[in-house]
Amino acid sequence: MNQPDSSPSNFVRDIILNDLQTNKYQGRVHTRFPPEPNGYLHIGHAKSICLNFGLAAEFGGKTNLRFDDTNPEKEEQEYVDSIIDNVRWLGFQWQEPIHYASDYFGQLYEWALKMIRENKAFVCDLTADEVRQYRGTLTEGGKESPYRNRTVEENLDLFERMKNGEFPDGSRTLRAKIDMASKNLNMRDPVMYRILNAEHHRTGNKWCIYPMYDYAHGQSDSIEGITHSICTLEFEDHRPLYDWYVEQLGIYHPQQIEFDRLNLTYTMLSKRKLLQLVKDGHVRGWDDPRMPTLSGIRRRGYTPEALRNFCKAIGVSKTNGTIELGLLEHHVRDDLNKRAPRLMAVLRPLRVVIDNYPEGESELMEAVNNPEDASAGTRKVPFSRVLYIEQDDFKEDPPKQFFRLSPGKEVRLRWGYFITCTSVVKDEKGEIVEIHCTYDPATRGGNAPDGRKVKATIHWVSAAHAIDGEVRLYETLFNCESPNDLADLNPRSLEVLTECKLEPALGSSEAQFRCQFERLGYFCADNDTAPGKPVFNRIVGLRDAWAKIEKKTK
Ligand code: ATP
Ligand code: MG
């Protein structure tokens, strides 16, 4: 058994601990993560993955990866592949082999026959609309189907003919015979099988009847010997039905435990809605860095460690709530702060000419790679007569509290010299195109021997040595805390800057390389990066409002 986790316990973990003490499953802990391959995984799934794999790992157990692929119309191999890739990226290893609900289609069919033979299931000719009408409501009981009392022989015959493809889609269903008066709508003779002449991504055209998710899910857990079927709260009302099926079939009975779904501010977590964003072209694809999909946030530059820490921090509970996006970003910064090398990049360049620096010369300044990590060492950054600084860092007529560069003012160039602005050059439209400065050679490395102070330190890149690059800045995809639909999309969620100047070391960045651009945030080389043509995504800015809130409330 692994070392017990030092993180605080939670009610799911407590149940498992108790089951281990009472030897309920002979010491076994076997969980599973059961996605439907109808879209890419999102950060909500990360919570479920961390919980299932984390608990099993803690107690020396196993976790299956199972695709609940019972709906051929919405499922695709592309989704299967992306899910496998994402789970691995998050850092988890499932128990081989990968499972599929479709592997159990034969067994599920046999079990359906058994239920028909025991008069616990019947073939129903009501249309989908009629089934809905007969079902009743939360306050009103349902009505029994007129086909409910067919004989076992007739049911066996019709079900076999359903399977043989004799009937059109939607014309008949197989339904469980439970109780149309039940308070729980899921127990009102739920549909077990539907006719669907659709090609399945794994079973091809072998089947034209498909089990409903509710008929397949509990039995799949049972077949795999799952001990703790951990799922989200909306399945609480389905538990009596899952229990009913495994009890009627007399098969091994896993224990279902429900926990709260993750909701995040400014974020939509529903594969159906995310698919719409992709299909309608509101984003560049499932892996657009603004998407809350694991592929998206991975491309953006979030680390698996940060996601796991976030999931640990939010824990699990029995009531749904909403987590602040700021908390997720806090964990991303927290992780990158320790590991990301610091480099310099200028996103909106302003040309600076240092008049008293010799023309045609340059020198190498020593820069610390990561003040949080001495082992990251130092690097050399070229300095010369013409530099770029951030347009924002200069103001011709500065307001009172503006301490960066302005005419007559002196500032420090990070790892460089003190410079003082002497004049401004404008074009015919009156726009500033270049500023002129002088430098003080005695301040090399950033300190004045006479002890004089400057109020600001700004970053820069030597013009002659700069690498051209593209930088993509992101805001939240939605502009309100609880977005409902596309009307809440943030039109400013993406800003592309194509004239950025990067320090030379960034020229050889490979996709997924993460670093801090000093003063600007954490950045990650995008997959669009090509040799000599870096493209960076801003992962997250530097300011951590969440850290401040945490401090205040402590
Ligand atoms: P969506 O509604 O986004 O499509 P889903 O629940 O239909 O999600 P599944 O593929 O069925 O997606 O989910 C696989 C597992 O992930 C399930 O056990 C589900 O409960 C869990 N899960 C899905 N969304 C969340 C979430 N937001 N928070 C926590 N767990 C989630
Ligand atoms: Mg679903």
Side-chain angles (χ1 to χ4, degrees), residues 100-327:
Y100 296 84
S102 53
D103 291 341
Y104 313 137
F105 282 173
Q107 174 70 77
L108 290 166
Y109 179 76
E110 292 301 321
W111 279 335
L113 291 177
K114 174 176 154 75
M115 285 182 54
I116 296 172
R117 276 188 229 109
E118 292 173 5
N119 203 14
K120 291 168 184 164
F122 66 99
V123 173
C124 179
D125 299 359
L126 295 180
T127 64
D129 268 350
E130 286 165 339
V131 169
R132 218 167 294 129
Q133 282 163 24
Y134 274 67
R135 201 162 173 228
T137 62
L138 282 174
T139 49
E140 254 174 76
K143 258 193 331 192
E144 292 191 351
S145 161
Y147 305 97
R148 200 175 198 264
N149 295 315
R150 279 180 161 150
T151 62
V152 168
E153 288 66 36
E154 192 181 0
N155 282 322
L156 284 173
D157 173 61
L158 284 172
F159 188 51
E160 182 171 356
R161 290 166 60 195
M162 277 170 67
K163 177 184 161 235
N164 291 343
E166 289 187 28
F167 309 120
D169 284 7
S171 59
R172 287 194 162 92
T173 55
L174 182 73
R175 295 176 66 181
K177 217 184 254 193
I178 310 181
D179 178 10
M180 288 309 289
S182 171
K183 285 216 163 57
N184 185 339
L185 272 83
N186 295 310
M187 301 298 277
R188 294 185 189 167
D189 294 2
V191 172
M192 293 164 59
Y193 271 90
R194 62 211 194 282
I195 302 173
L196 205 58
N197 282 283
E199 187 170 318
H200 187 278
H201 67 103
R202 294 190 77 240
T203 57
N205 293 309
K206 177 161 185 225
W207 297 90
C208 60
I209 54 170
Y210 288 95
M212 301 300 288
Y213 180 85
D214 277 354
Y215 175 66
H217 187 76
Q219 287 94 299
S220 302
D221 281 346
S222 174
I223 291 170
E224 292 173 19
I226 301 303
T227 55
H228 301 85
S229 300
I230 305 169
C231 64
T232 36
L233 285 172
E234 72 272 20
F235 293 103
E236 200 163 3
D237 286 347
H238 297 244
R239 177 164 21 105
L241 177 56
Y242 301 160
D243 289 347
W244 189 85
Y245 284 130
V246 295
E247 274 157 26
Q248 298 310 312
L249 294 168
I251 56 177
Y252 166 78
H253 195 157
Q255 167 180 201
Q256 176 168 307
I257 308 166
E258 304 89 9
F259 70 96
D260 61 320
R261 267 184 108 77
L262 171 66
N263 297 301
L264 262 189
T265 56
Y266 300 100
T267 310
M268 246 168 15
L269 294 181
S270 145
K271 278 180 281 182
R272 189 175 51 80
K273 290 181 180 171
L274 296 176
L275 175 64
Q276 197 189 347
L277 290 174
V278 173
K279 280 211 165 136
D280 296 354
H282 297 287
V283 293
R284 294 181 179 190
W286 283 101
D287 69 344
D288 186 300
R290 292 166 292 178
M291 290 281 271
T293 52
L294 296 186
S295 299
I297 59 189
R298 169 183 180 179
R299 179 168 182 175
R300 170 109 164 227
Y302 282 29
T303 62
E305 290 83 356
L307 282 184
R308 294 201 301 263
N309 291 340
F310 167 74
C311 290
K312 204 177 264 185
I314 58 175
V316 290
S317 83
K318 268 287 184 191
T319 43
N320 281 319
T322 302
I323 303 288
E324 303 248 5
L325 182 59
L327 180 64

Side-chain angles (χ1 to χ4, degrees), residues 70-85:
T70 53
N71 187 359
E73 285 177 311
K74 293 195 172 152
E75 295 160 4
E76 287 174 29
Q77 189 59 38
E78 177 195 345
Y79 299 143
V80 171
D81 296 340
S82 75
I83 290 169
I84 292 173
D85 187 41

Side-chain angles (χ1 to χ4, degrees), residues 350-499:
L350 171 62
R351 232 173 102 90
V352 176
V353 181
I354 300 175
D355 292 318
N356 60 339
Y357 195 89
E359 226 159 314
E361 279 189 25
S362 69
E363 64 190 299
L364 291 172
M365 312 305 291
E366 181 156 59
V368 173
N369 285 330
N370 186 352
E372 301 285 324
D373 175 11
S375 73
T378 60
R379 70 184 185 287
K380 305 277 192 221
V381 185
F383 184 94
S384 64
R385 180 181 154 91
V386 182
L387 314 172
Y388 291 111
I389 64 166
E390 218 59 70
Q391 289 169 16
D392 269 3
D393 283 334
F394 177 79
K395 269 198 178 21
E396 196 177 12
D397 294 306
K400 253 207 181 117
Q401 292 301 308
F402 187 86
F403 298 117
R404 289 163 279 162
L405 204 57
S406 57
K409 279 263 176 63
E410 186 172 51
V411 298
R412 175 189 294 109
L413 293 176
R414 180 76 156 155
W415 314 119
Y417 294 96
F418 285 11
I419 57 167
T420 305
C421 175
T422 50
S423 66
V424 174
V425 180
K426 294 181 185 174
D427 61 14
E428 58 278 16
K429 282 181 268 162
E431 308 259 0
I432 299 172
V433 290
E434 167 178 303
I435 63 171
H436 285 251
C437 293
T438 55
Y439 85 117
D440 177 354
T443 57
R444 189 174 201 280
N447 288 304
D450 63 6
R452 78 180 186 278
K453 298 277 184 241
V454 287
K455 283 210 165 123
T457 301
I458 64 175
H459 60 276
W460 52 277
V461 172
S462 165
H465 305 88
I467 307 286
D468 292 321
E470 177 177 321
V471 172
R472 300 169 183 170
L473 302 179
Y474 302 101
E475 279 185 29
T476 53
L477 190 50
F478 293 94
N479 56 20
C480 65
E481 283 203 1
S482 338
N484 275 319
D485 53 46
L486 300 182
D488 298 324
L489 273 171
N490 176 4
R492 278 179 297 279
S493 59
L494 169 65
E495 184 180 5
V496 181
L497 303 170
T498 53
E499 321 240 291

